[in-house]
Amino acid sequence: MKFKISLAQINPTLGNLEKNLSKHLEFTEKAILEGAKIVAFPELSISGYVLRDLTYDVSLPANSDFFKPLKEISKNIDIILGFVEKGEDKIIYNSAMYLSKGEIKLVYRKMFPPTHGMFEELRFFGKGTSYKSIKTDYGKLSIVICRDFFHPTLLSLAYLDNVDFVFAISNMPLRGLKGEKPQIQETVENASSLYTNFFGFFVVYVNRVGFDDGLGFYGGSFIQSPTGKKVIALRLFEEELLTGEIDTDDIYKKRTSFPLIKEEDKLTFEENLRRLIGGRND
């Protein structure tokens, strides 16, 4: 199956939900005109990233009327976005939302919010506890958020779940710019190449651009096929929308030439994992 995905590499305005909503609708309309079936936005695309004391003010329950315009336009295209979720458990989360056919189909909460160096997410956000995936008209997909992407244990769940796509939405800050690209971008690309090669799914990585309170974000979004090729790669530092055509036959090609998923034994994996968690090493 062939279809198109658009990456919306945007620069959200910190704390301005209405302005960011307008930008989402604008970029989604562009994606529809380009024939895309899915449009993906970055992490916390509705609110911006460096929120600190604004975190509660911009938090929204997933069933908020705020999302009505996005639900309406999702009748024409599936949408992935990031927002600050006001959880029903009275905890605020860094979350992703998948909208399709006028409905919210999935909400995923970031499982590994970093708190070290420049990062302070655990001061303001709770930790998600559940891996999630969803079957769509275009294949089975899961969503991870930024630091989640660097945890092979989480991506291994997507592999064992036999997904076709992992969407990694991100607010990856710029650091380590010594050559043509940031060193952190090389780290992201190396991780993506490993996952696409060994796990045999597409990686759809969408990062933001711009600045929040002096913290800069570099963009560099891309889609990588299981065959290793980059379907599209967006520019560094530029706000833009780019659309690429996906061919899901690439998954079959990879898993035929490198059929790891056929060799897996989930029950044996589970038994060994329980043994390690239980402190046994016999």
Side-chain angles (χ1 to χ4, degrees):
M1 176 174 60
K2 294 182 179 181
F3 70 97
K4 293 180 179 179
I5 295 175
S6 289
L7 303 186
Q9 183 173 281
I10 64 170
N11 176 16
T13 300
L14 186 65
N16 194 328
L17 300 184
E18 293 299 332
K19 186 173 182 180
N20 292 330
L21 174 60
S22 295
K23 180 168 286 191
H24 279 65
L25 295 172
E26 174 192 347
F27 274 70
T28 301
E29 290 283 7
K30 290 179 181 178
I32 292 170
L33 290 175
E34 294 190 9
K37 300 300 183 184
I38 302 174
V39 59
F41 290 86
E43 175 185 12
L44 295 175
S45 55
I46 289 291
S47 63
Y49 181 73
V50 188
L51 293 162
R52 298 193 177 99
D53 292 341
L54 287 174
T55 303
Y56 174 78
D57 295 336
V58 300
S59 63
L60 298 163
N63 61 359
S64 169
D65 287 345
F66 175 86
F67 296 109
K68 278 187 174 179
L70 290 162
K71 288 182 180 178
E72 184 63 29
I73 201 170
S74 78
K75 294 176 182 178
N76 302 309
I77 186 173
D78 290 6
I79 303 168
I80 297 172
L81 58 82
F83 74 109
V84 179
E85 182 193 0
K86 185 182 291 184
E88 69 284 345
D89 56 1
K90 310 301 186 293
I91 295 174
I92 292 175
Y93 296 96
N94 179 342
S95 296
M97 178 182 289
Y98 190 97
L99 303 101
S100 178
K101 298 180 174 65
E103 299 177 356
I104 296 170
K105 298 291 188 179
L106 178 146
V107 174
Y108 166 78
R109 295 168 175 171
K110 188 173 184 176
M111 293 178 67
F112 299 101
T115 303
H116 67 92
M118 70 177 70
F119 302 106
E120 50 186 7
E121 289 188 34
L122 278 177
R123 288 183 59 198
F124 306 102
F125 297 110
K127 291 184 67 174
T129 58
S130 298
Y131 161 83
K132 291 185 178 181
S133 64
I134 182 173
K135 291 182 178 179
T136 75
D137 290 342
Y138 314 106
K140 190 176 187 180
L141 64 86
S142 65
I143 303 172
V144 300
I145 302 175
C146 207
R147 178 59 67 90
D148 291 345
F149 189 62
F150 293 152
H151 282 264
T153 49
L154 181 54
L155 276 292
S156 294
L157 293 177
Y159 166 60
L160 292 172
D161 193 23
N162 203 18
V163 303
D164 302 303
F165 301 90
V166 168
F167 281 78
I169 67 173
S170 183
N171 277 184
M172 195 72 72
L174 173 66
R175 52 201 191 275
L177 184 59
K178 294 182 179 180
E180 294 184 357
K181 66 175 67 173
Q183 288 180 339
I184 187 62
Q185 177 72 352
E186 292 186 3
T187 302
V188 171
E189 291 179 349
N190 288 340
S192 178
S193 293
L194 185 150
Y195 296 141
T196 55
N197 183 37
F198 287 98
F199 293 166
F201 48 57
F202 281 87
V203 166
V204 183
Y205 175 80
V206 56
N207 192 28
R208 66 163 288 188
V209 293
F211 288 85
D212 276 359
D213 197 23
L215 186 64
F217 305 89
Y218 65 87
S221 307
F222 61 85
I223 301 174
Q224 188 166 11
S225 162
T227 63
K229 69 181 179 183
K230 289 281 185 63
V231 178
I232 54 172
L234 282 70
R235 294 175 292 176
L236 299 178
F237 311 116
E238 298 291 332
E239 184 174 68
E240 63 178 331
L241 180 127
L242 194 62
T243 302
E245 185 174 72
I246 300 297
D247 187 347
T248 56
D249 273 352
D250 285 354
I251 299 170
Y252 290 93
K253 291 174 184 176
K254 183 64 180 184
R255 295 184 185 181
T256 299
S257 63
F258 201 24
L260 298 184
I261 193 68
K262 289 198 302 183
E263 301 167 5
E264 294 296 343
D265 185 334
K266 293 181 183 180
L267 291 178
T268 299
F269 178 82
E270 180 185 13
E271 290 169 2
N272 281 276
L273 183 60
R274 289 185 183 278
R275 179 173 55 82
L276 291 174
I277 291 172
R280 291 168 46 222
N281 194 25
D282 49 9

